């Protein structure tokens, strides 16, 4: 059951937006739009919709930074529910490719982030095992991850009283893609030590210790993999181990499909020879034969996903299994898909298939892959759209496609609701920012003066440029002028982006310069000014939508303002300014009518979700050596609901440790602090 926990109640336009969206979903509307201005609490609105309808929900964002932010917010709203994070697990990814012009083959190269991989596996495990699931995802959710049915079937049940046959259990764990490691005990591995078997599930923070007595499993305990200390006192009678990888091949299935793979290999081999592509034919024969031998021997090979069609028993061209299929498999039509920043996310989903197909076409033409590689792909947009039965598109600037789709569906109903809900009022009363246009001719000298003035007042600024190079060069130039500046763009790895944003909020620098990543969704209440360079350079980055989104970054502060550097007023500028002014007038009238005084948004700086494990999130280095003064300093009000739960667990373990070491006074102090936190 979804239980929303918040100190706030819906205000402003939120109540009517929640009621309208809930009503629409109850009417089985497939498409609805939530047009919500920046800072209006769109996430809180969606959280209330989820609670009211008790719907498992997939929230899709177009980049990892925003997905991480949404994940944190949903975790805070639903601390007792299964909120998961599902994004691409690559810190670096170079897909397999071939360039015929230079005869250059580029092997697939990737750096997998172990924490993200764990969170992905946790997400799918939650879907299979629970009903109170919210998954926050990037568009990676449309990529092939194997069958949900097979994932559920590929499990190992461990129960107290069952035979303790370490050999049989080890063999099954290896089939589930766990590795045996006696010395390097890490996620996705197991070890055997006499009467004990330790398993570190790939999707958990704790290990499982199984003990045997008289040939039977005697106990199952949770423990910290690093220290080996038991972390839970509850008695575990039975548990289920899920796979360590999303895509795996059942040995029996491999045996059954090998003849089909070899038949297709022979057919495509002959086709290449018929085209006088002798080298390509021999290359294909050699590569596929090697892959098959590796799969038979160890159950896995780099690129195994290119044979997924055979293992999944899909026909050529049939859609692959994605995260949406996990939802469909478990919940049928009873789940919700929320597309955040839909004006960007929808178009991104649309473009995934064609790019993947073009790359695979070259690989198959030149004998690097069987044509089955085409079926290891992202979903086509039509395939994606046909899986869920309930969509909510969320954006401050929704695209024409989702607006018209929702309105067309509404025209078939007698209800006056047109499928588009506006949420223009912020709970804080903050209005859209004031806009000033300044000449582009001397934009940099003028900008520096403005930044220096803002820095003296400890006010933060966002600056947007047209290119990555411009962002880097401007940041360097500003640093030479003694302005504390940093740049942010897509070449910076995901984890570092979050750190840069956090450092701006902390005050490590005063100015953040970016290109496109500063547009949507960033929640930075410390920002007083947004400066847009070359605002009159009409194009994607200076379109009506982009300008509105970028200007919205200044709408978290009562003193927020925007400077557009331009020598002419383009049509995009005019449309964006008119829309901002329309909203600003509406917001001011609402504030006057309801006697609201705007208040700047305050949001705590949350712990990062990816760099550390869940058990390390609250690992304040000061607490390595506990004493009563440090315990007394812990302020329960500074923690979110989810972090309070983790803190309590950490303190309970420490209290037990101190009691065992005869440090009773400290143990009592920790006990009292736990009581304070719980109250």
């Amino acid at each position: 059951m979804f239980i929303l926990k918040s100190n706030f109640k819906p205000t402003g336009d939120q109540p009517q937006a929640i009621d309208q969206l809930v009503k629409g979903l109850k009417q089985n509307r497939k498409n609805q739009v939530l047009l919500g201005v920046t800072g209006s609490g769109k996430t809180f609105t969606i959280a209330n919709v989820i609670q009211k309808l008790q719907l498992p929900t997939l929230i899709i964002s177009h980049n990892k930074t925003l997905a991480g932010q949404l994940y944190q917010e949903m975790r805070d709203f639903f601390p007792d529910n299964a909120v998961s994070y599902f994004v691409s697990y690559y810190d670096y990814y170079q897909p397999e490719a071939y360039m015929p012009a230079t005869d250059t083959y580029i092997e697939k190269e990737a750096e997998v982030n172990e924490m993200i991989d764990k969170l992905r596996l946790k997400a799918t495990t939650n879907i299979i095992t629970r009903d109170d699931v919210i998954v926050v995802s990037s568009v990676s959710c449309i990529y092939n991850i194997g069958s949900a049915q097979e994932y559920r079937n590929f499990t190992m049940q461990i129960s107290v009283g069952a035979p303790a046959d370490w050999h049989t259990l080890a063999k099954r764990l290896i089939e589930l893609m766990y590795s045996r490691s006696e010395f390097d005990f890490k996620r996705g591995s197991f070890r055997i030590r006499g009467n004990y078997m330790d398993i570190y599930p790939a999707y958990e923070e704790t290990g499982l210790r199984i003990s045997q007595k008289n040939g039977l499993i005697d106990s199952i305990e949770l423990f910290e993999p690093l220290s080996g200390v038991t972390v839970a006192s509850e008695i575990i009678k039975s548990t289920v181990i899920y796979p360590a990888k999303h895509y795996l091949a059942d040995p029996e299935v491999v045996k059954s499909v090998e003849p089909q793979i070899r038949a297709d290999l022979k057919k495509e081999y002959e086709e290449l020879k018929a085209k006088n592509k002798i080298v390509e034919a021999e290359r294909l024969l050699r590569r596929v034969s090697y892959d098959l031998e590796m799969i038979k021997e160890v159950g896995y090979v780099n690129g195994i996903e290119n044979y997924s069609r055979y293992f999944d028993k899909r026909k050529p061209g049939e859609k692959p299994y994605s995260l949406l299929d996990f939802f469909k498999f478990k919940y049928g039509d009873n789940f919700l898909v929320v597309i955040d920043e839909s004006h960007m996310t929808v178009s991104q989903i649309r473009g995934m298939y064609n790019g993947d197909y073009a790359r695979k076409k070259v690989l198959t033409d030149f004998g690097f892959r069987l044509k089955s590689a085409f079926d290891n792909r992202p979903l086509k947009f039509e395939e994606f759209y046909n899986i869920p039965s309930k969509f909510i598109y969320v954006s401050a600037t929704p695209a024409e496609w989702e607006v018209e789709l929702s309105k067309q569906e509404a025209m078939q109903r007698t209800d006056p609701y047109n499928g588009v809900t506006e949420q223009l009022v912020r709970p804080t009363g903050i209005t859209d920012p004031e806009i000033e246009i300044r000449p582009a001719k001397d934009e940099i000298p003028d900008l520096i003066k403005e930044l220096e003035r803002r820095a003296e007042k400890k006010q933060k600024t966002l600056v947007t440029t047209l290119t990555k190079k411009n962002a880097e060069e401007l940041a360097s130039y500003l640093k030479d002028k003694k302005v504390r500046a940093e740049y942010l763009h897509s070449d910076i790895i995901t984890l570092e982006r979050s750190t840069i944003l956090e450092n701006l909020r902390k005050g490590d620098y005063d100015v953040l310069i970016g290109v496109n990543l500063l547009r949507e969704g960033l929640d930075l209440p410390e920002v007083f000014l947004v400066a847009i360079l070359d605002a009159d350079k009409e194009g994607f980055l200076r379109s009506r939508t982009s300008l509105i989104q970028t200007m919205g970054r200044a709408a978290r502060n009562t003193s927020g303002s925007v400077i557009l550097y331009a020598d002419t007023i383009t049509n995009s500028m005019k449309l964006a300014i008119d829309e901002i002014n329309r909203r600003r007038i509406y917001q001011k009238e609402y504030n006057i009518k309801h006697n609201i005084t705007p208040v700047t948004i305050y949001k705590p700086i949350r712990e990062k979700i990816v760099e550390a494990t869940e058990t390390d999130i609250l690992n304040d280095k000061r607490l390595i050596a506990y004493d009563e003064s440090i315990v007394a300093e812990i302020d329960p009000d500074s923690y979110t609901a989810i972090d309070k739960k983790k803190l309590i667990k950490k303190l309970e373990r420490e209290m037990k440790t101190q009691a065992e070491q005869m440090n009773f006074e400290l143990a009592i102090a920790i006990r009292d602090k736990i009581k304070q936190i719980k109250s």
Side-chain angles (χ1 to χ4, degrees), residues 30-31 60 139 142 319 324 339 342 344-354 377-388 391 393 401-402 405:
K30 180 165 184 171
N31 301 287
I60 307 174
V139 294
I142 71 171
K319 78 172 187 65
L324 283 96
I339 301 184
S342 59
M344 290 289 293
T345 308
V346 169
S347 59
Q348 197 176 91
I349 294 171
R350 287 184 184 277
M352 290 296 180
Y353 172 78
N354 289 335
R377 58 174 175 84
L379 298 175
K380 299 175 182 177
F381 186 79
E382 297 75 20
E383 294 168 340
F384 162 80
Y385 180 73
N386 288 333
I387 296 174
F391 284 100
Y393 308 91
W401 178 83
E402 55 259 34
L405 192 68

Side-chain angles (χ1 to χ4, degrees), residues 210-252:
I210 307 163
S211 65
Q212 69 96 10
K213 187 176 181 181
N214 298 325
L216 301 176
I217 294 176
D218 182 58
S219 66
I220 303 171
E221 294 181 329
L222 298 178
F223 71 98
E224 286 187 341
L226 184 61
S227 65
V229 177
T230 301
V231 299
S233 58
E234 69 261 27
I235 298 173
I236 302 174
K237 290 293 186 181
S238 183
T239 189
V240 176
I241 306 295
Y242 285 86
K245 295 183 183 293
H246 275 127
Y247 205 90
L248 28 78
D250 188 319
E252 296 303 317

Side-chain angles (χ1 to χ4, degrees), residues 338-396:
V338 177
I339 301 184
D340 189 54
E341 305 293 354
S342 59
H343 63 283
M344 290 289 293
T345 308
V346 169
S347 59
Q348 197 176 91
I349 294 171
R350 287 184 184 277
M352 290 296 180
Y353 172 78
N354 289 335
D356 183 81
Y357 179 87
R359 180 175 58 83
K360 298 279 181 61
K361 182 72 165 56
V362 178
L363 288 169
T364 56
D365 286 349
F366 287 86
F368 288 94
R369 288 292 174 195
L370 287 176
K371 291 178 181 178
S372 62
F374 286 126
D375 297 305
N376 168 48
R377 58 174 175 84
L379 298 175
K380 299 175 182 177
F381 186 79
E382 297 75 20
E383 294 168 340
F384 162 80
Y385 180 73
N386 288 333
I387 296 174
S389 63
K390 304 175 182 67
F391 284 100
I392 297 177
Y393 308 91
V394 180
S395 175

Side-chain angles (χ1 to χ4, degrees), residues 10 31 35 339 380 396 462 472 501 562 567 652 665:
N31 301 287
L35 193 163
I339 301 184
K380 299 175 182 177
L462 299 182
E472 293 177 13
L501 293 170
V562 174
D567 291 324
E652 285 175 342
E665 290 184 358

Side-chain angles (χ1 to χ4, degrees), residues 235-346:
I235 298 173
I236 302 174
K237 290 293 186 181
S238 183
T239 189
V240 176
I241 306 295
Y242 285 86
K245 295 183 183 293
H246 275 127
Y247 205 90
L248 28 78
D250 188 319
E252 296 303 317
V253 174
V254 172
K255 289 180 184 177
S256 66
V257 301
E258 184 180 355
Q260 186 182 349
I261 297 174
R262 292 198 179 277
D264 286 348
L265 171 60
K266 183 180 179 181
K267 178 183 176 183
E268 293 179 31
Y269 174 82
E270 295 297 336
E271 287 176 355
L272 289 170
K273 287 183 68 177
K275 296 177 182 177
N276 203 30
K277 292 185 174 182
I278 307 302
V279 174
E280 290 84 350
E282 292 300 325
R283 178 189 293 140
L284 184 66
L285 179 63
R286 174 170 46 83
R287 288 176 63 89
V288 176
S289 298
Y290 171 81
D291 287 351
L292 286 174
E293 289 303 315
M294 286 293 294
I295 294 171
K296 281 197 296 185
E297 290 298 322
V298 301
Y300 188 80
V301 70
N302 193 26
I304 189 174
E305 62 275 5
N306 291 295
Y307 304 97
S308 60
R309 184 218 327 145
Y310 301 104
F311 303 140
D312 297 340
K313 296 181 172 59
R314 289 183 284 128
K315 297 177 182 177
E318 190 175 346
K319 78 172 187 65
Y321 297 107
S322 67
L323 186 67
L324 283 96
D325 291 287
F326 275 73
F327 274 88
K328 189 78 171 181
F329 172 76
K330 178 63 184 296
Y331 309 116
D333 288 332
N334 195 37
F335 70 96
L336 171 66
V337 173
V338 177
I339 301 184
D340 189 54
E341 305 293 354
S342 59
H343 63 283
M344 290 289 293
T345 308
V346 169

Side-chain angles (χ1 to χ4, degrees), residues 22 33 50 57 74 93 105 132 184 199 228 256 271 386 456 464 482 488 514 524 539 551 562 582 656 660 667:
V22 168
V33 173
I50 293 171
T57 301
M74 284 296 172
Y93 180 65
Y105 171 71
D132 59 334
D184 184 21
I199 305 170
S256 66
E271 287 176 355
N386 288 333
E456 288 177 1
T464 64
K482 308 303 180 185
L488 179 73
L524 304 169
M551 290 189 287
V562 174
R582 177 186 79 87
K656 182 179 178 181
E660 291 173 349

